[in-house]
Amino acid sequence: HPAAAFDGTSYMIAWSEDRHVYARRLRGAATFASDVLALSSEGVAAAAPKIAATDRGFAVMYGEGDDLRRRLILTLIGPGTSLERSTISELRLATHALGWNGSELVALWSGGDQISAARIASTGVLLDREPIRVGFGDILGAPSMACEAGQCITSWSTWKRGVEIATIVGDHAFTYT
């Protein structure tokens, strides 16, 4: 599944192809502003990119590993083509989402029977020592997220309770069912 974001000046698209994740910057209607950037590690399967515009460029998050969900990787793309990679989670992951709340990135993922989140500075520094527990139980669907002004609203599906919603503010999550 491809992903796209706009930072007010340019667009960034990210996609997976042949077990690798790539990105490319565009200006305006299909005018390429950069070469294709290979984001994932050579020889390691990667898929499912999510992208967010930040105050320093773009952030692309994707699953990387033998089963495509072993590690959650964040790659920061600066104004040029500079790339900085960091690992967000080493857990066995199923699905994930990424958002920018105006001051920090928020990574959201499902793993096993819970939904977790972590805040990340636009420099790639992980701000939470432990993941924020957002939801738990019989997780069915991929989490989604929308962010603005210091908070994110998240939602996901469960087998028994239907759709659940949580708000992430700082290092706390408030769940509504």
Side-chain angles (χ1 to χ4, degrees), residues 109-120:
W109 67 90
S110 65
D113 65 348
Q114 80 177 40
I115 301 285
S116 301
R119 296 172 305 131
I120 307 145

Side-chain angles (χ1 to χ4, degrees), residues 42-165:
E42 188 63 37
V44 179
K50 308 297 182 205
I51 191 167
T54 73
D55 61 346
R56 301 173 68 122
F58 293 93
V60 179
M61 188 172 68
Y62 51 93
E64 185 177 87
D66 292 338
D67 63 2
L68 300 182
R69 302 293 185 257
R70 176 116 342 178
R71 289 178 305 276
L72 195 56
I73 304 295
L74 180 75
T75 300
L76 302 175
I77 305 171
T81 56
S82 62
L83 302 176
E84 296 177 40
R85 282 175 44 103
S86 57
T87 300
I88 301 307
S89 175
E90 291 283 346
L91 301 173
R92 189 171 186 83
L93 304 164
T95 57
H96 54 273
L98 181 66
W100 172 255
N101 69 13
S103 60
E104 60 202 13
L105 289 158
V106 177
L108 183 72
W109 67 90
S110 65
D113 65 348
Q114 80 177 40
I115 301 285
S116 301
R119 296 172 305 131
I120 307 145
S122 62
T123 58
V125 174
L126 201 56
L127 299 173
D128 300 304
R129 287 186 188 185
E130 296 292 325
I132 301 165
R133 186 172 174 175
V134 178
F136 62 93
D138 53 344
I139 308 300
L140 171 64
S144 63
M145 180 167 48
C147 301
E148 60 90 25
Q151 67 179 0
C152 297
I153 302 295
T154 66
S155 65
W156 62 94
S157 299
T158 67
W159 285 103
K160 298 176 185 171
R161 296 180 306 277
V163 174
E164 293 201 355
I165 300 168

Side-chain angles (χ1 to χ4, degrees), residues 1-3 13-17 20-24 36-37 39 47-49 60:
H1 301 281
I13 57 171
W15 69 95
S16 57
E17 180 180 327
H20 293 286
V21 173
Y22 301 95
R24 192 165 194 183
V36 172
L37 305 170
L39 304 184
V60 179

